[in-house]
DNA sequence: GCGACAG
DNA sequence: ATCTTGTCGC
């Protein structure tokens, strides 16, 4: 895949916020009627000291969810974990893994929030803008917004509001299991995001592509750590 | 001002 | 996110 919006990686928080607000201007929330055949999912894993980040980018067919292509990338972590600025910590590795994909998916599911973010531009939105491709944010915890209580039954959901705006939803993917927070990232809307996530559930809390991408990132991490045990990992630019 | 705070 | 085994519950 090819980046559509290149930029420097900020070192200071205020610079990151400036870039995030600029990207937020480009976020498109609109109905998506495209036929979805290929779905990509990205996720990351960290080394023990949280100094190295490992990212996976995997493409699956939909609705079969058969693996089509799988790429990875690891890098030194250079930005501190800061709620609201996750993109600046994980973005370098995630974008690099996605750039290695030879196939272009119809949409990308990201482990993190889309517009359910204080600046309406979470990790999923930032990734979507970077490649100008439809993205969906899927998070296990809420960072911004509120919603009414949802029942314990699978399928129960409530809209997620942030400053009077509906930005996504809380969705129960399994009975008696904590809900998932879904929000559009870029070039799609809440309805599309919800439908896609629901149609990709296969009995677990997380949609299958993301669940697999998560496992893939961890396997990749173990592989690299084993390969370089006792040695100093050399990371090229 | 205080609390909350994706991975 | 990561450090970690068993264990309670559907």
């Amino acid at each position: 895949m090819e980046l559509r919006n290149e930029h420097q990686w900020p070192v200071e928080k205020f610079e990151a916020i400036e870039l995030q607000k600029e990207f937020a201007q480009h976020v498109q929330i609109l109905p998506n009627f495209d036929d979805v055949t290929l779905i990509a999912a990205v996720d990351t894993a960290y080394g023990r000291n949280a100094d190295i980040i490992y990212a996976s980018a995997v493409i699956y067919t939909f609705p079969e969810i058969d693996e089509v292509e799988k790429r990875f990338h690891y890098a030194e972590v250079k930005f501190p974990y800061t709620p609201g600025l996750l993109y600046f910590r994980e973005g370098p590795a995630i974008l690099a893994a996605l750039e290695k994909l030879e196939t272009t998916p119809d949409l990308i599911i990201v482990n993190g929030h889309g517009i359910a973010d204080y600046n309406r531009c979470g990790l999923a939105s930032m990734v979507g803008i970077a490649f100008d491709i439809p993205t969906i944010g899927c998070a296990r915890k809420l960072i911004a917004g509120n919603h009414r209580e949802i029942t314990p039954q699978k399928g129960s959901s409530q809209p997620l509001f942030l400053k009077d705006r509906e930005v996504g939803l809380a969705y129960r993917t399994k009975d008696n299991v904590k809900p998932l927070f879904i929000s559009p990232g870029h070039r799609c809307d809440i309805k599309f995001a919800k439908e896609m996530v629901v149609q990709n559930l296969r009995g677990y809390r997380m949609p299958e592509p993301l669940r697999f991408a998560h496992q893939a990132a961890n396997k990749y991490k173990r592989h690299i750590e084993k390969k370089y045990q006792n040695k100093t990992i050399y990371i090229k630019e």
Side-chain angles (χ1 to χ4, degrees), chain A residues 38-92:
Chain A
L38 297 175
I39 297 178
V42 292
D43 195 23
T44 60
Y46 289 85
R48 298 200 170 198
N49 296 313
D51 49 358
I52 305 282
I53 182 171
Y54 304 82
S56 67
V58 196
I59 295 180
Y60 300 93
T61 59
F62 177 78
E64 303 80 8
I65 310 191
D66 289 326
E67 186 179 305
V68 171
E69 189 182 354
K70 181 167 57 180
R71 302 293 172 186
F72 305 95
H73 188 83
Y74 71 90
E76 185 178 353
V77 172
K78 296 182 176 178
F79 200 88
Y81 167 64
T82 312
L85 300 178
L86 193 57
Y87 173 71
F88 301 95
R89 182 175 175 78
E90 307 195 335

Side-chain angles (χ1 to χ4, degrees), chain A residues 114-203:
Chain A
I115 59 172
D117 167 271
Y118 287 114
N119 288 316
R120 303 284 179 77
C121 199
L123 178 61
S125 297
M126 294 296 284
V127 171
I129 296 297
F131 289 99
D132 191 29
I133 192 172
T135 55
I136 291 173
C138 219
R140 296 188 299 273
K141 295 177 182 176
L142 207 52
I143 181 179
N146 303 287
H147 66 84
R148 303 196 329 193
E149 288 189 8
I150 60 179
T151 63
Q153 287 70 47
K154 171 181 179 177
S156 172
S157 71
Q158 282 291 331
L160 178 61
F161 289 96
L162 176 60
K163 300 172 185 173
D164 286 345
R165 292 299 175 188
E166 190 174 344
V167 296
L169 63 141
Y171 184 92
R172 189 86 65 185
T173 56
K174 288 191 65 177
D175 286 351
N176 301 94
V177 165
K178 287 182 292 183
L180 209 55
F181 300 97
I182 307 164
S183 62
H186 181 52
R187 288 178 53 176
C188 67
D189 58 12
I190 296 174
K191 182 178 188 300
F192 178 82
K194 178 182 181 181
E195 284 309 306
M196 274 302 131
V197 171
V198 170
Q199 290 184 45
N200 277 284
L201 293 175
R202 295 293 186 279

Side-chain angles (χ1 to χ4, degrees), chain A residues 1-2 38 40 59 68-71 98-106 133:
Chain A
M1 290 184 71
E2 206 167 301
L38 297 175
I59 295 180
V68 171
E69 189 182 354
K70 181 167 57 180
R71 302 293 172 186
L98 285 169
E99 284 189 87
K100 292 178 181 175
L101 290 174
E102 295 177 2
T103 311
T104 297
D106 297 309
I133 192 172

